[in-house]
Amino acid sequence: MSELRDEPTDSFGTLSSQTSFRSGRVVDVRTDRVAMPGGGAATRDVVVHPGAVGIIALNDRDEVLLLRQYRHAVRRYLWEPPAGLLDVAGEDPLVAAQRELHEEAHLQAEHWNVLVDLFTSPGMTDEAVRIFLARDVRPATGPRFVGRHEETNMPLEWVPLDDAVQAAQSGRLPNPLAVMGILAASLAAREAFADLRPA
């Protein structure tokens, strides 16, 4: 069998495209008229997203950092890893991840690797997320970032990685970055982080 890999394709040409909604904040909605390979066309709505980064931070006790944040779309407090938008033009994803770890947890890390890349919901959005693994974590220098709105009160917890895996598998942690990042970190830890991509 050849290497298992998702690939881009031009088989579904875009016949027309228009932005049907502009939020002026994070997302827009684009409506595309798409040529189907067997003939004909179909209309597809796409939530256009700038992309994001997530950070699975591990300390020297094999604990993962999670923070609790209110997410209005699901009306829940979710435990999730530090994360943030790629909304600064030209910013490297690693730099964005380092910034988010500093802003949300006032931490910095000595070692960074790419843990996993993902599309959060490819049936409806182009949102792509790169989750990094941050190790040798220590308190950051400089002033603390002051959050606004949902970010004004985000409790932090260091959770044993095995407990976090169990919480993800049992459905107690439904945040996709938490589930994918925690499971990938657990697998990477079993392999002594040997096969991770450099950041």
Side-chain angles (χ1 to χ4, degrees):
M1 183 174 117
S2 61
E3 182 182 39
L4 185 63
R5 175 186 294 272
D6 292 339
E7 296 179 358
T9 181
D10 294 324
S11 298
F12 297 80
T14 302
L15 303 173
S16 65
S17 184
Q18 67 178 45
T19 301
S20 48
F21 172 76
R22 289 193 188 277
S23 71
R25 292 180 295 279
V26 177
V27 299
D28 295 331
V29 178
R30 187 185 73 230
T31 300
D32 292 343
R33 190 83 175 140
V34 182
M36 295 290 117
T43 301
R44 298 289 180 258
D45 293 324
V46 178
V47 177
V48 180
H49 190 281
V53 293
I55 305 98
I56 296 295
L58 288 179
N59 65 19
D60 58 5
R61 296 180 302 278
D62 289 326
E63 295 172 324
V64 61
L65 177 69
L66 297 174
L67 52 89
R68 192 182 76 162
Q69 185 170 357
Y70 175 69
R71 295 299 187 182
H72 186 70
V74 294
R75 303 210 176 205
R76 291 181 180 211
Y77 284 110
L78 298 181
W79 286 101
E80 53 191 51
L85 296 172
L86 289 172
D87 56 358
V88 176
E91 185 176 37
D92 182 89
L94 174 59
V95 173
Q98 292 168 334
R99 174 176 50 80
E100 290 295 339
L101 184 62
H102 182 272
E103 288 180 1
E104 293 192 348
H106 200 65
L107 293 172
Q108 58 191 31
E110 185 69 27
H111 292 101
W112 290 83
N113 289 96
V114 175
L115 192 54
V116 68
D117 291 315
L118 58 113
F119 293 116
T120 56
S121 187
M124 59 158 289
T125 181
D126 65 354
E127 180 183 12
V129 179
R130 172 162 281 183
I131 301 179
F132 290 91
L133 178 66
R135 292 179 293 141
D136 296 324
V137 178
R138 62 186 184 279
T141 57
R144 272 197 90 100
F145 175 78
V146 178
R148 297 179 59 226
H149 306 303
E150 293 94 340
E151 294 182 343
T152 56
N153 181 24
M154 296 192 302
L156 305 176
E157 291 284 342
W158 286 99
V159 180
L161 184 56
D162 289 343
D163 292 353
V165 168
Q166 186 178 39
Q169 290 179 319
S170 70
R172 290 181 283 127
L173 290 179
N175 177 276
L177 271 63
V179 172
M180 289 181 257
I182 288 166
L183 296 180
S186 177
L187 178 61
R190 279 189 245 148
E191 298 171 349
F193 309 109
D195 295 325
L196 292 177
R197 289 173 282 163

